[in-house]
Amino acid sequence: MKIIARDIPPRAAWALEQAGVHPLLARLYAARGVRAKDELDDGLGRLLPPSGLKGIDAAARLLADAMAQNKRLCIVADYDCDGATACAVGVRGLRLLGATHVDYLVPDRVTDGYGLTASIARRVAERGADVLITVDNGIASVEGVAEAKALGLQVLVTDHHLPGPELPAADAIVNPNQPGCTFESKSMAGVGVMFYVLLALRAELRARGVFDASSAPGTGSAGAPSPAGGSEPREAGSVGAPRPQPKLDPLLTLVALGTVADVVKLDANNRRLVAQGLKRIRAGQMPAGVAALFTAAGRKAPVATTFDFGFALGPRINAAGRLADMTLGIECLLTDDAGRAAELAATLDGINRERREIEGGMRDQALLMAESLFQEDEEPPPAISVFDPDFHEGVVGIVASRIKDKLHRPTFVFAASSAPGKAHELKGSGRSIPGFHLRDALDLVAKRHPGVLLKFGGHAMAAGCTVAEEAFDVFEQALAQVAREWLDVAALTRRIETDGPLAPEYCRADMVDTLHREVWGQGFAPPTFSEEVQVLSQRLVGEGKNHLSIKLIHQGNPIDAIWFSHTEPLPTRVLLAFRLDVNEWKGERKVQFLVEGAQL
């Protein structure tokens, strides 16, 4: 473990502070690449314009034509939180804009696998759809799109994943990562892409006279949602006076949730999308299902944070796709009935508890298997792959993440496929460390060992693949070989980047509240501080005695700290990396440190 303080450009920090930014926030923002206060403007008018997305005009025309002809639209979703929120945004948004026939279908993780397959295309056609719209998938679905086209469907692909060597022959593709797309935010989640398609569709309908042009956005070229209200939807192609254009900004609560839950990089555009969603939730403006999920998770919407999205709401929606049917999650996000939302949120909460139980047993078993790959006095292999026939395929990704966090190695966890006729196949999910692009690594394995990977895809930090059971050993060795070639000692050493020492005057509950209100996440890390402290006492707490409770002295002041899922004692003086939190007990709010790591 190596604790490293981020570089804080003094001129940028000074400029931000002179512009009125709080001194601590100025320092934190400067360390994350912010150079001027206007970069912190999260107004809708600062969103990147939809016009920068390749294919978005064609997508808007396709949808506008379909609505004018009263065609039936069907969204093919994905079974994670990004896919669920993207589906809900698509269904809600299309209906707001006047579409009268909007359906959706979500593949089953076990029987269907990922993406638009040929069988999914046939099911969409059997439902009587005319237009198939993918969200958070489709960019690699060459065969699925071909089947849909052969069945007479128009196809719109909206996705954010990296494309393969061949693009599907869809009528329109909107994906910031497709070749030739100059859109600046390459990190937009699937839900963000669908939201942008709706913005472009609304502009197209406005140009066609469906909506009153006088209520066009007054926020510049970004094409941001208008504050104008909307009357009851009418058929998009009907004759009559234009109606006020509907507001799309209520959808930003779902955009924010899906963006954070998918752990995409929070670049400036994504931070604005998330900030706008958080503002609405804190003001009580959210779908019934989102409010119900806050209640089920025991979180407070008026003080919502990105942490709530990533660690409370997101996992409950994801649990449906892992262990049950993601339709439950999507219906929770679509319903406007508070009672129905509460029932669905309670069901999702129960599924998530079951997921945690399954994960706990799998995590312990997988970690034992991973640790058996090396001696106690040895370093772990450069990449880790484990398989057990009793593993649940819906939880392999979470378990891979836990092992990756523990051993700091790219990790794949495999389970036997439960799909009919696929018992000989293993489905794996991987998580990576900085410096090791997981999808590119899989691509290299596939080229070096043709036939080993039956299917693969994903991102730099997370990917999935399918291998024949008899090929597992070949895959394990091949991935480890790529890791040996790509990763050096520095990359294989766990590093925690921090914001350096914390002045004692900032150890206040109101300062912690200020920090929590900001938008933090992947690529814009939450504040983590580091300095040497004196440990006064420590003890194991929790039901399983697996958390270390610490009393320490920080710059002459006593403070409590806790290190979750850590049982090894600390020396009396130690360099700690920690985040700030507030512990509430009997109405008293006291600052505590959440320990992230120690350099011994």
Side-chain angles (χ1 to χ4, degrees):
M1 166 75 68
K2 191 159 187 172
I3 295 175
I4 300 171
R6 293 184 181 89
D7 178 47
I8 303 172
R11 293 178 66 87
W14 179 85
L16 290 169
E17 191 172 341
Q18 291 298 303
V21 178
H22 186 283
L24 179 57
L25 286 174
R27 171 180 147 199
L28 297 174
Y29 283 137
R32 286 155 181 78
V34 177
R35 296 293 177 262
K37 187 178 181 181
D38 66 344
E39 295 177 44
L40 302 174
D41 181 357
D42 58 18
L44 291 171
R46 293 299 303 273
L47 288 175
L48 294 172
S51 58
L53 278 163
K54 180 181 179 181
I56 201 162
D57 292 336
R61 288 193 297 270
L62 185 156
L63 292 174
D65 289 346
M67 290 162 62
Q69 298 165 33
N70 206 26
K71 288 185 176 181
R72 306 181 74 87
L73 313 176
C74 184
I75 295 174
V76 175
D78 185 26
Y79 38 69
D80 67 358
C81 187
D82 185 18
T85 52
C87 182
V89 163
V91 171
R92 284 182 173 275
L94 288 167
R95 289 174 179 170
L96 274 172
L97 294 174
T100 52
H101 303 291
V102 186
D103 193 10
Y104 75 89
L105 185 153
V106 57
D108 182 271
R109 180 186 293 267
V110 174
T111 58
D112 296 315
Y114 171 77
L116 173 62
T117 61
S119 61
I120 291 288
R122 289 191 288 271
R123 282 160 58 186
V124 171
E126 288 166 3
R127 290 189 176 197
D130 303 299
V131 180
L132 187 158
I133 306 163
T134 72
V135 292
D136 193 31
N137 74 94
I139 195 66
S141 302
V142 175
E143 293 180 3
V145 170
E147 179 70 10
K149 295 292 293 177
L151 292 168
L153 294 167
Q154 290 181 288
V155 180
L156 164 59
V157 168
T158 76
D159 201 352
H160 69 124
H161 293 92
L162 297 174
E166 180 183 358
L167 293 180
D171 294 274
I173 298 176
V174 184
N175 181 338
N177 289 302
Q178 68 176 305
C181 184
T182 59
F183 194 70
E184 290 180 34
S185 179
K186 300 297 183 183
S187 302
M188 195 155 54
V191 66
V193 176
M194 187 63 221
F195 180 70
Y196 263 72
V197 168
L198 293 172
L199 291 177
L201 173 59
R202 188 178 64 175
E204 176 68 19
L205 294 173
R206 190 168 63 243
R208 296 185 182 199
V210 175
F211 299 133
D212 183 359
S214 66
S215 62
T219 49
S221 62
S226 165
S231 57
E232 287 299 309
R234 63 180 176 86
E235 185 181 325
S238 63
V239 178
R243 63 184 175 93
Q245 67 176 7
K247 295 171 64 176
L248 294 177
D249 51 308
L251 301 175
L252 285 164
T253 57
L254 299 175
V255 176
L257 169 57
T259 297
V260 174
D262 210 45
V263 203
V264 295
K265 179 182 178 182
L266 292 187
D267 59 21
N269 206 59
N270 280 339
R271 290 202 309 276
R272 290 181 180 114
L273 291 170
V274 173
Q276 288 291 329
L278 279 173
K279 285 180 180 180
R280 284 160 177 77
I281 288 174
R282 290 167 184 166
Q285 302 165 3
M286 70 194 101
V290 173
L293 285 168
F294 268 96
T295 301
R299 309 296 295 183
K300 299 175 181 177
V303 289
T305 67
T306 50
F307 180 90
D308 295 320
F309 290 155
F311 295 93
L313 276 66
R316 283 165 172 78
I317 297 173
N318 276 327
R322 295 184 187 283
L323 302 185
D325 180 0
M326 183 47 93
T327 302
L328 291 169
I330 295 172
E331 285 299 309
C332 184
L333 300 177
L334 284 176
T335 184
D336 291 319
D337 182 294
R340 175 67 174 151
E343 291 175 6
L344 289 165
T347 299
L348 293 171
D349 186 59
I351 297 171
N352 191 52
R353 284 196 297 272
E354 180 186 356
R355 185 272 303 168
R356 284 200 297 261
E357 291 176 7
I358 294 172
E359 177 202 331
M362 274 180 61
R363 181 187 62 238
D364 293 343
Q365 174 66 13
L367 191 55
L368 283 173
M369 295 173 69
E371 290 177 338
S372 72
L373 299 175
F374 58 98
Q375 299 297 320
E376 190 172 341
D377 58 345
E378 294 178 340
E379 286 292 313
I384 291 171
S385 303
V386 296
F387 158 65
D388 189 283
D390 293 328
F391 284 171
H392 191 296
E393 65 181 278
V395 189
V396 288
I398 302 176
V399 174
S401 181
R402 302 291 187 263
I403 296 176
K404 180 267 298 181
D405 290 343
K406 176 84 172 176
L407 300 179
H408 193 66
R409 294 294 187 271
T411 301
F412 264 91
V413 176
F414 286 85
S417 174
S418 303
K422 302 287 188 179
H424 65 290
E425 293 182 359
L426 306 183
K427 296 178 76 172
S429 187
R431 299 295 183 269
S432 196
I433 62 175
F436 193 78
H437 195 296
L438 212 50
R439 189 204 170 278
D440 287 355
L442 291 178
D443 186 52
L444 185 54
V445 169
K447 289 172 180 172
R448 288 178 172 177
H449 303 273
V452 167
L453 286 172
L454 304 177
K455 189 187 302 182
F456 70 92
H459 301 288
M461 304 304 287
C465 67
T466 302
V467 303
E469 184 170 357
E470 61 269 19
F472 172 75
D473 290 342
V474 176
F475 172 83
E476 179 183 21
Q477 295 166 18
L479 185 70
Q481 179 59 34
V482 175
R484 270 189 289 272
E485 296 168 9
W486 288 5
L487 296 170
D488 57 18
V489 174
L492 291 171
T493 301
R494 185 194 307 276
R495 295 157 53 102
I496 296 183
E497 283 194 327
T498 77
D499 296 290
L502 177 70
E505 62 264 28
Y506 296 141
C507 288
R508 309 188 316 265
D510 66 313
M511 192 69 241
V512 179
D513 294 340
T514 296
L515 293 178
H516 283 182
R517 280 193 294 269
E518 301 302 306
V519 174
W520 313 104
Q522 182 71 21
F524 205 77
T528 303
F529 304 96
S530 60
E531 54 195 296
E532 189 174 287
V533 297
Q534 179 185 352
V535 176
L536 297 179
S537 65
Q538 51 193 314
R539 62 190 178 94
L540 295 176
V541 297
E543 189 175 327
K545 298 292 183 183
N546 58 339
H547 309 309
L548 188 64
S549 176
I550 313 160
K551 292 188 179 297
L552 52 82
I553 297 294
H554 168 256
Q555 296 202 19
N557 300 313
I559 198 160
D560 293 337
I562 188 162
W563 194 345
F564 290 113
S565 301
H566 183 87
T567 57
E568 297 297 319
L570 293 171
T572 54
R573 294 202 68 83
V574 62
L575 177 63
L576 287 186
F578 57 90
R579 293 185 291 112
L580 293 179
D581 196 23
V582 174
N583 187 29
E584 297 190 33
W585 176 251
K586 294 184 178 180
E588 184 181 5
R589 305 178 77 234
K590 292 178 60 178
V591 173
Q592 69 173 356
F593 291 172
L594 302 180
V595 179
E596 295 285 299
Q599 184 172 306
L600 304 176

